[in-house]
Amino acid sequence: MIVLPLGILWFGAVLLAILDGTRTKNALLAIGLLASALLATIWLGFDIVANGPRSMVIGGWEQGVGITLSVDTLGIIFATLSLTVLLAALVFETANRVRARVFPALVLFMGVGLTGLFFTGDVFNFYVFFEIAMISAYVLASYGETPRQFRAAFLFIVVNLLGSMLFLISIAAIYHITGRLDMAGIAAQIPLVAESPVLLIATLIFVAFSTKLGLFPFHFWLAPVYTGTRPSVAAILSGALANIGSYGLLRFGADLLPRELADGAPVLIVLGTVSIIYGAVQSVSRHSPSEVLAYSAIGQVGYIMIALAIGGEVGFFAVILYAVINGLNKGLLFLTVGLRGWLVGASFVVGAFSVAGVPPAAGFLGKISIFWAAIEDDAWSIVFLVFLGSALSFLYMFQLYQRRFWIAREDEVESSRLPQVIVTALAIGLLIVGLWPEPLLDITDHAVSGLLDSPAVGVSP
Amino acid sequence: MSDRTVTTTVLTQVAARILLIPIFVVAIGIMIKGYVDIGDGFSAGVIASLGVALQVMVFGPEELTRLPVIQRAPKGTFLGLLIALLTAFVPAVRGQPLMTHWPPAGEAAIHFGTVEFITAVAFDVGVFLVVFGFGVGVTATLARAQERKSSMAGLFSRPGDAGEAGERS
């Protein structure tokens, strides 16, 4: 059962790699496979919420010897989010006509990588799945195959290979210090080790994941890449792939290296603050929609960092909630780039409200959870910062709305109906989450208690 | 062959031809003995595709179309991936952990000479096909790019002419 989503995606990806993805029939097959993997993940999620985390040691080896696959609520949340965004992007691209034969297969391969790394209990295996997802992303970034896309892909590949390299080095260092690769074993060993070498490793891991997320000093690649790639790919990169960063920081920071995370909290707060202000100010000054969204993505990461630095029950709760809603927002907003029509305009407004944190859109929940975490922590400066960031995001999102959808231009042609409907469906989804948030809040709460109770996944047999 | 600069001598050509079969034999040997000695499907795939790369380097990219096995190797990547995935996921369907091999340790396996037939070998054959197919595919792509470059050398003489400026805009 735990391997069902992975199995569907993996066999599907190999099958589609042989088929011609530009044919609608094959793209529909890919959509069917991705949707069934998503359903299997949700089904697995119900089981895990009811019966606790599940794990399996590959090949029937002993715990600590073989590679562990283990799924807890946190992994399920991120897998569901990523597969949803991938599915939306794939449906969107199919409605627009797929231009490259490998596109559907690559989306499924990225699904394999993402699901695999959310479902693993072994740090090296995490790296392997991470690379599967990244390699698919490298090829996807060049999708469209004009010089503009190749430039974006080249930059993306160079920067992210550096990030992957740092991550691989830190895994080697963890193995050197603890002698373990399974997360449960590492979590048990780390407290026994002197703090200074672990702090160095934690810093490397933090840099690697922050590069994926595009946090302030590591953000330089993000805007050219998100503006250069096609809208569906930008949605995949920022709504699905960037989840590796937030999940990785939670798994490695909160779960494996909590002592180092607490030490680094002041740094996270400073970087998060700079990221929020920098992202917001840059967004206000930009005109092209994809640039505004790219800089807004840099700002949004700042909130996640601040919540991570506050830590504890409320902090991690805010991290998960914010990451989920931010992924959905970005998926929706990047897909609206390049579309025209009143449905798209309305969906954009929902996305904009969600980014700014205005109810009833779902973003309100994310913002309120960060407010709550900051108030619990008595950090009034953070409350003020979040308020300022939200006000600025309201400003830049509606500047964009005004320029794009309010002024009717002569040369405008309304986009075909199907892509518009897909974007609208995502927007309605955001509204539903905002109006009926209990399921999301409950499952986030469950994930947080799982994160704080057990030292690491895979401990339970 | 006429527009290519020929840098290989008869000696290299003969050596390349003579080495091809032994390279394949060594590759298969490494793949199979991986269960008692050092070796596995990955290194076997690398060795076999280096053998093909040697032929291409000496005789040119036409070599790739001469043997049907080599011609189809890139497609074999998918077959290999499928075999490897099947050995991983079939046990999961039977309710065992992923990659549980059959027959289990301690039980008798079917022998062919000294070769034991266990599902771990099937996995390595899959890995071999993936690596070999990838190696041959990369060699073919590079060889074709090289060929194109040398055949187009006369068409675009200097950098900075009209064709290049058009591409940049």
Side-chain angles (χ1 to χ4, degrees), chain A residues 76-412:
Chain A
I76 287 286
I77 292 176
F78 277 91
T80 311
L81 165 67
S82 305
L83 291 179
T84 309
V85 174
L86 285 181
L87 184 63
L90 183 60
V91 174
F92 180 84
E93 201 55 36
T94 309
N96 263 345
R97 195 173 64 80
V98 179
R99 290 146 197 255
R101 52 176 296 148
V102 290
F103 183 82
L106 284 170
V107 172
L108 287 192
F109 269 118
M110 184 181 280
V112 170
L114 290 173
T115 319
L117 77 88
F118 297 141
F119 283 10
T120 187
D122 179 285
V123 287
F124 189 76
N125 202 21
F126 187 102
Y127 172 75
V128 172
F129 280 117
F130 175 86
E131 282 297 325
I132 293 179
M134 289 315 294
I135 290 169
S136 325
Y138 298 154
V139 188
L140 276 178
S142 67
Y143 174 64
E145 294 175 7
T146 63
R148 186 176 146 103
Q149 268 101 39
F150 280 124
R151 254 196 304 274
F154 182 73
L155 180 67
F156 181 65
I157 292 171
V158 170
V159 174
N160 281 288
L161 274 180
L162 277 174
S164 305
M165 201 60 197
L166 287 181
F167 185 52
L168 187 60
I169 291 172
S170 48
I171 289 176
I174 287 182
Y175 184 63
H176 180 72
I177 287 184
T178 62
R180 302 293 291 263
L181 283 174
D182 60 312
M183 290 179 181
I186 292 170
Q189 285 287 320
I190 286 284
L192 313 175
V193 185
E195 195 171 350
S196 45
V198 186
L199 201 55
L200 180 65
I201 296 171
T203 312
L204 280 180
I205 293 177
F206 171 72
V207 172
F209 287 130
S210 302
T211 311
K212 303 282 157 228
L213 271 172
L215 184 71
F216 169 65
F218 319 105
H219 67 281
F220 51 91
W221 61 275
L222 198 137
V225 171
Y226 284 7
T227 45
T229 50
R230 292 186 54 76
S232 56
V233 176
I236 289 177
L237 294 184
S238 84
L241 192 74
N243 293 333
I244 296 179
S246 18
Y247 175 81
L249 285 172
L250 273 175
R251 182 62 81 204
F252 281 81
D255 214 7
L256 298 183
L257 310 164
R259 185 179 58 178
E260 288 70 22
L261 179 65
D263 285 348
V267 181
L268 295 192
I269 293 209
V270 170
L271 291 183
T273 308
V274 177
S275 219
I276 290 175
I277 295 171
Y278 174 85
V281 172
Q282 284 278 14
S283 301
V284 171
S285 69
R286 301 289 156 155
H287 284 261
S288 105
S290 44
E291 262 186 316
V292 172
L293 292 176
Y295 281 106
S296 153
I298 296 173
Q300 301 300 314
V301 173
Y303 296 104
I304 296 180
M305 282 308 139
I306 285 183
L308 191 69
I310 293 171
E313 203 172 329
V314 280
F316 296 147
F317 184 84
V319 174
I320 299 173
L321 202 59
Y322 207 88
V324 170
I325 290 167
N326 185 41
L328 291 175
N329 285 347
K330 285 288 160 334
L332 165 67
L333 289 172
F334 273 111
L335 289 183
T336 61
V337 174
L339 288 183
R340 282 289 186 285
W342 69 270
L343 271 177
V344 179
S347 311
F348 184 89
V349 171
V350 174
F353 273 139
S354 195
V355 168
V358 178
F364 172 67
L365 297 170
K367 285 275 167 25
I368 210 96
S369 67
I370 290 186
F371 268 127
W372 183 35
I375 290 168
E376 287 266 310
D377 207 41
D378 270 337
W380 293 101
S381 51
I382 292 177
V383 176
F384 174 71
L385 176 74
V386 175
F387 184 78
L388 179 71
S390 306
L392 282 173
S393 49
F394 196 78
L395 179 66
Y396 63 70
M397 289 314 287
F398 278 89
Q399 271 185 340
L400 190 58
Y401 178 72
Q402 199 179 16
R403 278 197 295 267
R404 298 271 301 165
F405 297 102
W406 243 3
I407 306 163
R409 274 194 243 134
E410 295 291 315
D411 54 341
E412 258 180 24

Side-chain angles (χ1 to χ4, degrees), chain B residues 27 30-35 37-45 124 127-128:
Chain B
I30 280 183
M31 178 165 64
I32 290 171
K33 78 177 180 138
Y35 297 91
D37 210 336
I38 299 158
D40 58 4
F42 186 90
S43 34
D124 255 358
V127 173
F128 171 82

Side-chain angles (χ1 to χ4, degrees), chain A residues 3 6-7 10-11 14 17-18 56-60 69 109 147, chain B residues 78 81-82 85-86 89 92 96-101 167-169:
Chain A
V3 297
L6 262 183
W10 219 328
F11 280 103
V14 175
I18 310 171
M56 164 197 279
V57 184
I58 289 179
L69 284 184
F109 269 118
Chain B
F78 299 111
L81 197 51
L82 203 62
L85 281 179
L86 279 174
F89 278 91
Q96 292 167 317
L98 281 188
M99 297 274 273
T100 305
H101 289 299
E167 260 174 50
R168 236 180 252 146
S169 61

